[in-house]
Amino acid sequence: MKRKGLDMNKFADWQVGNDYEVIKLLGQGSYGAVASAIHKPTGTKVAIKQMKGVFEDEVDCKRILREIAILKSLKNRFVVGLFDLIEPTDTKNFDTIYLVLQLAESDLKKVIKSAIYLEQKHISTVVYNLLCGLQYIHSANIIHRDLKPANILINEDCTVRLADFGLSRSMNGVDS
């Protein structure tokens, strides 16, 4: 039996500085982990994406840099916003990067697997918002390349934000 308060330090290894308080783990994958957090100076709820071992593999390193560059360039209500890149405490010896992103209530994968019943108007709104997001990133010459329900963030009001641009590519310079 776990005693209350025993996992108070489960985010002790998250080096997010004094401005953020990590609250709850939202998901994990091969890239790292995402947790909800609070930006203490403003009280804003955010998501923090922790990516470990960023320099272990050259391909992964390039993917992370590409994702950051793409997120910095895309500014649209249908794309998850990048708020901050947390500076490492030791800028000469670090292997973990923290991205501070817009927080969404869920993702489409969780909604599909849940017992939530979506009416036709909800489905239509979600699909329309998803298509608007795709139209925007395509107009910015970006191809997502990893579009799946887990990378489509969704809120209760059916607003949608595209996320996880690690496999994305720019179409600039590509012959059709």
Side-chain angles (χ1 to χ4, degrees):
M1 182 169 123
K2 276 189 175 180
R3 290 182 41 200
K4 191 173 185 172
L6 278 185
D7 55 9
M8 291 292 285
N9 290 329
K10 65 181 171 182
F11 298 110
D13 65 329
W14 286 56
Q15 298 176 2
V16 296
N18 295 327
D19 284 349
Y20 297 98
E21 179 184 349
V22 183
I23 305 296
K24 177 183 174 187
L25 189 65
L26 299 175
Q28 283 186 286
S30 58
Y31 60 84
V34 176
S36 64
I38 294 182
H39 181 245
K40 291 191 258 185
T42 63
T44 304
K45 293 178 181 179
V46 296
I48 298 181
K49 184 174 183 177
Q50 176 197 58
M51 295 178 279
K52 292 183 173 185
V54 295
F55 302 113
E56 291 174 4
D57 181 80
E58 185 177 344
V59 173
D60 287 343
C61 186
K62 287 179 182 178
R63 186 175 293 152
I64 291 165
L65 288 173
R66 186 180 308 114
E67 179 173 14
I68 293 168
I70 288 171
L71 285 173
K72 283 181 71 172
S73 71
L74 297 177
K75 306 287 184 218
N76 186 272
R77 66 186 179 131
F78 300 111
V79 175
V80 67
L82 175 65
F83 290 142
D84 197 5
L85 179 61
I86 299 172
E87 186 174 336
T89 52
D90 181 356
T91 56
K92 294 184 188 227
N93 299 304
F94 69 95
D95 71 342
T96 303
I97 290 181
Y98 297 91
L99 303 180
V100 181
L101 305 160
Q102 277 179 313
L103 180 66
E105 293 169 354
S106 191
D107 63 52
L108 197 54
K109 180 180 179 180
K110 290 176 186 169
V111 171
I112 291 168
K113 286 186 167 191
S114 74
I116 296 171
Y117 174 77
L118 296 177
E119 295 180 15
Q120 184 62 45
K121 66 180 177 179
H122 298 122
I123 295 167
S124 297
T125 303
V126 168
V127 170
Y128 175 78
N129 287 335
L130 172 60
L131 292 172
C132 287
L134 287 172
Q135 190 278 330
Y136 170 74
I137 66 169
H138 292 170
S139 72
N141 291 319
I142 302 293
I143 302 173
H144 192 282
R145 295 180 13 138
D146 193 22
L147 196 61
K148 58 187 179 187
N151 291 339
I152 300 168
L153 305 181
I154 188 167
N155 290 310
E156 192 174 337
D157 63 357
C158 296
T159 54
V160 167
R161 284 188 170 69
L162 301 177
D164 197 350
F165 287 82
L167 296 179
S168 298
R169 293 283 193 272
S170 172
M171 292 187 289
N172 291 335
V174 176
D175 293 333
S176 38

